[in-house]
Amino acid sequence: MSYVQQTFHGSYREWQVCESTTFKLLKILPWSSNDEVALGKEDVVECELLVESLMNAPEPYEALSYTWGSAIQDCPIKIYTKSSPSLPSSTINTEIVLVTQHLHAALLRLRHPTVPRLVWIDQLCINQKNTPEKNAQVKLMADIYKRAQRTLVWLGEGTMLDEDRDAIIDATTRMSYRPVDNAYSSLEDQLIIQDLIGFEGRDQARKIGMRRRQLLADILNRPWWTRAWVFQEAVVAKRGTVLCGSLEIDMEVLINLLDGVCDHDLREVGESASIMHTSKGYKPMFAIREARFEELYGSSSSRKSKWLAMLWQGMGNLSATDLRDKVYAFLAFSDSEEAARIAPSYEKSVEAVYSDAAYRSIQSVESLDVLELAIKSDKSSINLPSWVPDFSQPLPSLPFMTHNVGSTGFDASRGSSYPYWTHGTTKDVSKLYVRGRFVSVVESIAPVVFVEHKPPKSLHDTVKLLDIINWLTPKLQFMAGFPLHKIRERVLRALFAEGAGRDDTPGNLEYVDSTSLKVYDNEPTLLQRRHAGFFRRPNLGAYSPKYKELVSQHRYLRWLEKVVKVMYHKKLFLSQHHEVGLAYEAVEEGDLIYILLGSKTPSLLRKVSESARPECYRFVAQCYVEDWMRGEKHGGREWTVDDTEEFAII
């Protein structure tokens, strides 16, 4: 079999891999073979470039996961290649190749004194200037990392003292592995973390603890955690080893330690004061942990919705130099049907890649879950159809399915699928043809925008319930004589979007309504006792009903503090039919509320053309509307085509 296109001319960059399962590998030669080192001259890393079949690699290889750092390539290495890789007796060519400083430092660390090391490195194993080769190799990247014996995560050099390194490794060997679905550290692990980085003890011990906490926070602040491609590489790896200067540690073990330290900080100093929780890698670390758990133990049926969840992670927490990679870097999490439809192509524009990805996702899962992400921020500069997400920008606010995009308890269209046949055979993805039912019109919008405070403020400071009630009461005159606490419960239900479709909502809606109001009213007392450590230490009245009630309310308050994030940068509105709703800041009076087939939540639309057939609308956002989130006002029955009309979203 021919492995490469026959255009060599002595340069390794002209080896154009064209077979669908062929890739290049780099053999890092041992430093003892370098005569220049023996003579005391400049140390030059020497490598041999090989071309192999991915399905039949001759020996186990490792894959490097790293960030390029500076794009300037000014560090020389030597690469040996054959004039024709398919012929064993070909002439050996030597070439000086320039790489980035960050990669050069990694190569020096990876080089073994006596044994060659076989590693896949994108900067050297993909010709970045050859678009056809790049397209083919990007499609293989997930398989390259899956098949690697080990993924080496290079965070860069560090200044860690040997005693701190040894203490960190010792702590990880004594800690028990904490499953992703276990939210709390064991008492034994808490004591190990306390011993490693605790505040208690003599001044010297406190200084050592603070220094080690800072070292761990520095690990979480490395750029590696925030790059789109390394997220995929870490999740699909068989096994990962993290390298940071002289520290070498198993990836799962390190994340378990960092998770325990974050848990410790949450109890001791609170989220806003924790240098761990405010680090760049805090959210990506947990996303990697959950995604690895899902990759190993999740069902194949969950992959259809997982891709959207990963794209959401990429929008909010991860970056890419090439904006097209905000889609391509997550193809490993799509099912085979999606992956086949969205082949990497760097000839396409960013607009074309995003539009195609959105439409192919709708086709594959036969739902409109992708609309959750189609909220444009003020920073968006890409010209896209209104229903296509700008994957390059974070959402201005959390979607209404905050627990896991595409997975929710909401079911506004009663389990209906997107009628893909409405789009016909046209390849024009500038329009999305849908079927939907008109529900109501946005009649009035509350003059309050719920903003996120850093550090977070209390629910009272965020929700501003009194201002909302004062705005709403005159508009609900027909409810005169209705108990005020029922109106307050109704407003809180809308503000928290019924728990935002989370699967950890504690109890039925009536329980949520009444308990939310009770906890909201008692929040000042609960916060006062929290700050005094009341909920962390055993209490003499631990078994009294009053104590149990306070502990129960505090747990519920913790849940509300998570759910409250769904209202950030949103507004409360009242519909023409007096339904209370919650929508993104972009909502305007007169916006039309529709239930679209294949959508789990209602959508806000604006009519563009009266004369066009079918009628055309712009997508504004998805929204929460009371009594429609599970099709209650539709009688709880399934939607049919006869219940809806056809139109286009542009």
Side-chain angles (χ1 to χ4, degrees):
M1 179 175 69
S2 175
Y3 287 119
V4 295
Q5 184 173 319
Q6 302 298 312
T7 54
F8 309 114
H9 307 297
S11 172
Y12 94 99
R13 292 196 183 278
E14 293 178 355
W15 287 22
Q16 298 175 19
V17 177
C18 60
E19 295 281 344
S20 60
T21 60
T22 300
F23 74 132
K24 301 172 188 173
L25 280 173
L26 198 73
K27 181 182 286 186
I28 305 173
L29 302 178
W31 62 261
S32 59
S33 66
N34 192 330
D35 294 334
E36 292 182 343
V37 175
L39 295 173
K41 297 181 180 179
E42 184 181 0
D43 186 4
V44 178
V45 176
E46 296 180 316
C47 308
E48 182 181 348
L49 195 71
L50 310 173
V51 180
E52 305 291 349
S53 167
L54 182 59
M55 303 301 145
N56 299 294
E59 55 185 294
Y61 67 91
E62 298 167 304
L64 184 66
S65 178
Y66 71 111
T67 60
W68 279 39
S70 170
I72 299 174
Q73 296 171 297
D74 55 1
C75 297
I77 66 170
K78 279 185 182 179
I79 290 187
Y80 302 115
T81 59
K82 296 177 183 178
S83 59
S84 176
S86 59
L87 301 176
S89 60
S90 299
T91 304
I92 300 297
N93 300 310
T94 304
E95 187 172 351
I96 298 296
V97 177
L98 299 178
V99 299
T100 62
Q101 292 183 7
H102 195 58
L103 176 56
H104 189 259
L107 291 171
L108 290 173
R109 284 282 181 185
L110 294 178
R111 186 175 53 176
H112 194 275
T114 59
V115 181
R117 196 166 191 171
L118 205 57
V119 185
W120 187 87
I121 303 174
D122 66 342
Q123 195 174 144
L124 295 169
C125 295
I126 298 178
N127 186 347
Q128 304 292 330
K129 296 181 180 180
N130 186 288
T131 301
E133 178 178 321
K134 190 175 179 181
N135 291 342
Q137 293 296 290
V138 165
K139 194 173 182 179
L140 286 180
M141 279 182 64
D143 285 330
I144 290 173
Y145 281 91
K146 285 179 182 178
R147 291 175 177 272
Q149 182 184 46
R150 182 170 60 158
T151 293
L152 304 167
V153 176
W154 172 245
L155 299 183
E157 293 293 352
T159 57
M160 189 177 296
L161 298 175
D162 289 347
E163 62 181 275
D164 291 332
R165 178 198 62 206
D166 295 342
I168 289 172
I169 293 175
D170 177 64
T172 60
T173 58
R174 291 189 290 135
M175 287 180 66
S176 57
Y177 176 70
R178 182 143 57 110
V180 70
D181 55 351
N182 185 354
Y184 302 100
S185 302
S186 67
L187 179 59
E188 292 80 4
D189 285 355
Q190 291 178 29
L191 293 175
I192 293 171
I193 296 295
Q194 178 68 34
D195 184 52
L196 179 67
I197 51 98
F199 289 118
E200 299 176 1
R202 295 172 299 176
D203 288 345
Q204 184 63 23
R206 288 167 61 90
K207 289 179 181 178
I208 293 173
M210 287 297 295
R211 185 180 72 219
R212 290 172 180 169
R213 176 188 271 102
Q214 187 62 57
L215 287 171
L216 293 171
D218 176 64
I219 287 176
L220 272 182
N221 275 313
R222 297 293 175 115
W224 181 85
W225 298 97
T226 61
R227 299 296 291 172
W229 277 113
V230 299
F231 183 83
Q232 170 189 269
E233 295 157 10
V235 170
V236 304
K238 285 181 185 176
R239 175 182 163 221
T241 298
V242 177
L243 307 171
C244 184
S246 61
L247 178 67
E248 183 171 334
I249 189 169
D250 181 85
M251 181 172 63
E252 300 278 5
V253 170
L254 176 63
I255 290 179
N256 198 41
L257 172 66
L258 294 173
D259 188 7
V261 174
C262 290
D263 189 29
H264 175 277
D265 273 11
L266 189 63
R267 294 191 311 272
E268 296 295 324
V269 299
E271 183 174 342
S272 60
S274 168
I275 59 175
M276 302 295 290
H277 286 77
T278 55
S279 63
K280 296 177 183 177
Y282 173 70
K283 290 182 179 179
M285 177 189 72
F286 281 100
I288 288 172
R289 191 164 184 249
E290 290 182 4
R292 278 186 65 79
F293 183 85
E294 181 69 24
E295 186 75 13
L296 291 172
Y297 305 111
S299 63
S300 57
S301 61
S302 67
R303 296 188 69 86
K304 285 182 177 291
S305 61
K306 188 165 71 169
W307 188 53
L308 282 180
M310 295 300 102
L311 287 175
W312 178 36
Q313 291 288 350
M315 292 173 72
N317 302 316
L318 306 172
S319 59
T321 303
D322 190 319
L323 297 182
R324 291 166 290 197
D325 288 335
K326 294 297 287 283
V327 168
Y328 294 154
F330 300 98
L331 288 179
F333 306 109
S334 60
D335 65 1
S336 57
E337 187 178 355
E338 282 174 329
R341 287 172 168 167
I342 311 172
S345 175
Y346 288 91
E347 292 95 345
K348 290 184 177 180
S349 66
V350 175
E351 292 83 354
V353 171
Y354 287 7
S355 297
D356 190 51
Y359 179 65
R360 300 304 177 190
S361 172
I362 292 172
Q363 269 192 320
S364 176
V365 299
E366 295 184 11
S367 86
L368 295 175
D369 290 341
V370 73
L371 294 183
E372 295 178 64
L373 308 180
I375 313 301
K376 307 299 192 300
S377 71
D378 295 336
K379 297 180 180 179
S380 180
S381 59
I382 304 174
N383 185 24
L384 295 165
S386 63
W387 59 274
V388 175
D390 182 353
F391 296 110
S392 71
Q393 295 293 333
L395 295 180
S397 177
L398 286 178
F400 286 101
M401 292 177 249
T402 59
H403 183 66
N404 192 358
V405 171
S407 176
T408 179
F410 293 148
D411 190 13
S413 64
R414 302 296 299 165
S416 66
S417 300
Y418 169 72
Y420 60 89
W421 41 265
T422 59
H423 204 86
T425 58
T426 177
K427 295 183 179 180
D428 179 16
V429 294
S430 63
K431 291 182 180 180
L432 178 67
Y433 293 92
V434 298
R435 295 195 69 90
R437 175 183 168 179
F438 171 76
V439 169
S440 191
V441 177
V442 175
E443 187 172 78
S444 182
I445 301 173
V448 177
V449 177
F450 307 104
V451 296
E452 181 178 5
H453 299 283
K454 293 184 178 181
K457 292 188 176 182
S458 68
L459 292 181
H460 278 71
D461 290 333
T462 303
V463 173
K464 303 177 182 177
L465 186 57
L466 182 60
D467 293 343
I468 295 295
I469 296 297
N470 290 337
W471 165 79
L472 185 62
T473 303
K475 301 179 183 302
L476 298 176
Q477 295 179 359
F478 68 92
M479 294 182 65
F482 200 71
L484 178 61
H485 76 275
K486 287 295 183 182
I487 298 178
R488 296 175 78 222
E489 286 179 4
R490 183 179 171 188
V491 170
L492 279 180
R493 178 199 285 198
L495 289 174
F496 292 122
E498 297 180 17
R502 295 175 63 100
D503 59 5
D504 60 350
T505 302
N508 57 44
L509 288 180
E510 291 183 3
Y511 172 79
V512 170
D513 291 348
S514 60
T515 308
S516 294
L517 183 58
K518 184 189 297 184
V519 171
Y520 177 84
D521 288 339
N522 202 29
E523 184 195 26
T525 299
L526 294 171
L527 290 180
Q528 184 180 26
R529 299 212 172 194
R530 177 195 291 176
H531 295 151
F534 182 80
F535 300 108
R536 280 190 297 149
R537 301 180 178 90
N539 189 278
L540 293 177
Y543 298 100
S544 70
K546 184 177 180 180
Y547 178 82
K548 289 181 179 179
E549 174 64 17
L550 284 173
V551 170
S552 176
Q553 287 190 18
H554 184 254
R555 287 175 179 167
Y556 198 98
L557 177 62
R558 286 288 196 194
W559 180 78
L560 288 179
E561 288 170 339
K562 296 178 183 177
V563 177
V564 73
K565 297 176 182 179
V566 77
M567 72 174 69
Y568 292 160
H569 303 289
K570 292 189 176 74
K571 296 180 179 180
L572 203 74
F573 69 82
L574 197 64
S575 78
Q576 190 179 44
H577 300 135
H578 303 103
E579 297 129 341
V580 181
L582 187 69
Y584 292 86
E585 289 179 277
V587 62
E588 295 179 2
E589 292 179 0
D591 283 344
L592 307 175
I593 305 172
Y594 269 83
I595 305 290
L596 305 179
L597 293 187
S599 178
K600 297 182 178 71
T601 58
S603 296
L604 295 175
L605 305 177
R606 289 178 193 152
K607 186 169 286 190
V608 175
S609 173
E610 296 282 356
S611 58
R613 288 292 178 269
E615 294 179 320
C616 292
Y617 297 81
R618 285 194 182 278
F619 176 78
V620 179
Q622 291 190 323
C623 63
Y624 168 89
V625 185
E626 62 178 349
D627 299 331
W628 280 106
M629 302 308 292
R630 296 169 182 82
E632 300 94 323
K633 285 198 172 181
H634 191 58
R637 61 185 177 86
E638 293 185 5
W639 292 78
T640 67
V641 172
D642 294 336
D643 296 318
T644 61
E645 57 183 302
E646 181 181 341
F647 52 89
I649 300 178
I650 63 173

